[in-house]
Amino acid sequence: MRVWIAGSGYGSGRVMPAEEARISLFDHGITVGDGVFETIKAVGGRAFALTRHLRRLAHSAEGLGLFPPDLDLLAGGIGEALAANPEVDPARVRVTVTAGPGPLGSERSGESLTYAVAVADFATPEPTVDVAVVPWLRNERGALTGLKTTSYAENVRALDYAHRRGAGEAIFANTAGNLCEGTGSNIFVAGPATQGQLATPPLSAGPLAGITRALVLEWFGGEQSDVPMSALAGLTEAFLTSSGRDVQPIRAIDGHVLADAPGPLTRKAMAVFAERSAAEMDP
Ligand SMILES: Cc1ncc(COP(=O)(O)O)c(C=O)c1O
């Protein structure tokens, strides 16, 4: 596997074998998780929804108070990393920008950013997924709410919790007792609590502004409304969205099997997303 790095002694970017890539142990991304990232799907060497991903990366960096990342440099680096790994298809493209070398404490040095692009195989998602609700809450008013930062260990912990219970994704409630999101996915639901309509938590509930979520809302529809956690038991159908899963039906929540997986709304959303995303590489 070949990776692309810029900053941190690599200037304006270089492709090299992954084993040769070196990032300082003083990099603030490593010492305190002071960085932002994106996960992008690439098919045939082309990154899907690249403009939206770069825009969100810039938003995350601004929210974290980082210097604005050079998005043209990154777009070039993504292209170079994909061209250097043509056998990886579909590819999971991981774009990371950190605050760069810094002190061992939380204060920043203000030196240059570190940029990295790595690729790996994007595993084909399972046809359905079971989810487990975790006992920890998403804080919809936190400093990092809605930002895709490298401080992701809460998600690692939650996903491990779900895996130990035989589930493929963990679901967070927020501090208001409403549905929020998964560790790496957004959630859409339908049932009596939503009058049978498709609903997804609004951004004010604290989820990441998922790109797949936004495309499903634009291409297919759905309400953005708060869903109390108590409504989950009565759901008739539900699905997850993410760059790797696209639209993935939820089969069971905490062992409670939903009536339909995929249900009728999910099936339509899957079909519309498959058709539109195949037709538009950078929607
Ligand atoms: C916490 C979180 N929520 C939602 C998503 C889904 O976002 P997207 O559709 O842009 O991949 C992700 C992506 O990995 C995520 O990390």
Side-chain angles (χ1 to χ4, degrees):
M1 210 64 83
R2 294 169 73 75
V3 299
W4 175 91
I5 306 190
S8 260
Y10 292 102
S12 59
R14 242 169 70 197
V15 169
M16 69 196 79
E19 315 79 69
E20 288 175 17
R22 297 279 177 274
I23 287 184
S24 166
L25 290 180
F26 290 85
D27 193 291
H28 234 212
I30 290 176
T31 53
V32 294
D34 186 11
V36 296
F37 76 103
E38 285 294 318
T39 297
I40 309 173
K41 181 158 68 176
V43 181
R46 292 180 62 206
F48 178 69
L50 181 61
T51 304
R52 288 183 191 246
H53 280 286
L54 290 177
R55 205 185 295 148
R56 186 171 64 189
L57 186 93
H59 169 77
S60 297
E62 187 184 357
L64 199 55
L66 289 178
F67 287 124
D70 183 337
L71 300 185
D72 292 335
L73 178 74
L74 263 181
I78 292 166
E80 284 187 44
L82 284 169
N85 297 282
E87 71 290 355
V88 184
D89 191 9
R92 178 186 183 115
V93 183
R94 163 70 188 232
V95 178
T96 308
V97 178
T98 77
L104 292 175
S106 294
E107 69 277 18
R108 289 189 179 127
S109 72
E111 284 180 34
S112 61
L113 303 177
T114 298
Y115 296 84
V117 180
V119 301
D121 288 309
F122 225 145
T124 308
E126 298 292 329
T128 64
V129 62
D130 290 6
V131 302
V133 177
V134 294
W136 309 291
L137 302 177
R138 273 279 196 262
N139 178 1
E140 67 277 21
R141 295 189 302 271
L144 304 186
T145 302
L147 308 180
K148 203 164 166 71
T149 77
T150 56
S151 293
Y152 242 43
E154 272 203 344
N155 291 316
V156 175
R157 180 68 185 93
L159 189 57
D160 179 61
Y161 175 98
H163 284 168
R164 286 168 193 265
R165 284 156 183 79
E169 175 62 307
I171 297 296
F172 285 96
N174 64 17
T175 68
N178 292 323
L179 187 59
C180 185
E181 65 175 341
T183 65
S185 58
N186 293 106
I187 183 164
F188 286 72
V189 300
T194 66
Q195 288 80 46
Q197 304 298 308
L198 194 59
T200 191
L203 297 183
S204 58
L208 183 75
I211 287 165
T212 322
R213 169 189 181 277
L215 291 173
V216 167
L217 288 171
E218 281 173 43
W219 288 342
F220 181 67
E223 294 297 315
Q224 299 185 59
S225 54
D226 279 315
V227 178
M229 292 306 282
S230 57
L232 294 196
L235 293 181
T236 49
E237 58 178 301
F239 60 80
L240 299 179
T241 61
S242 77
S243 297
R245 301 170 190 272
D246 293 342
V247 175
Q248 185 182 41
I250 294 176
R251 191 191 73 95
I253 302 176
D254 282 341
H256 161 76
V257 179
L258 301 187
D260 260 337
L265 291 166
T266 307
R267 225 174 290 132
K268 277 189 216 147
M270 290 170 80
V272 170
F273 190 86
E275 188 192 324
R276 295 289 297 265
S277 62
E280 287 178 66
M281 236 4 225
D282 198 21

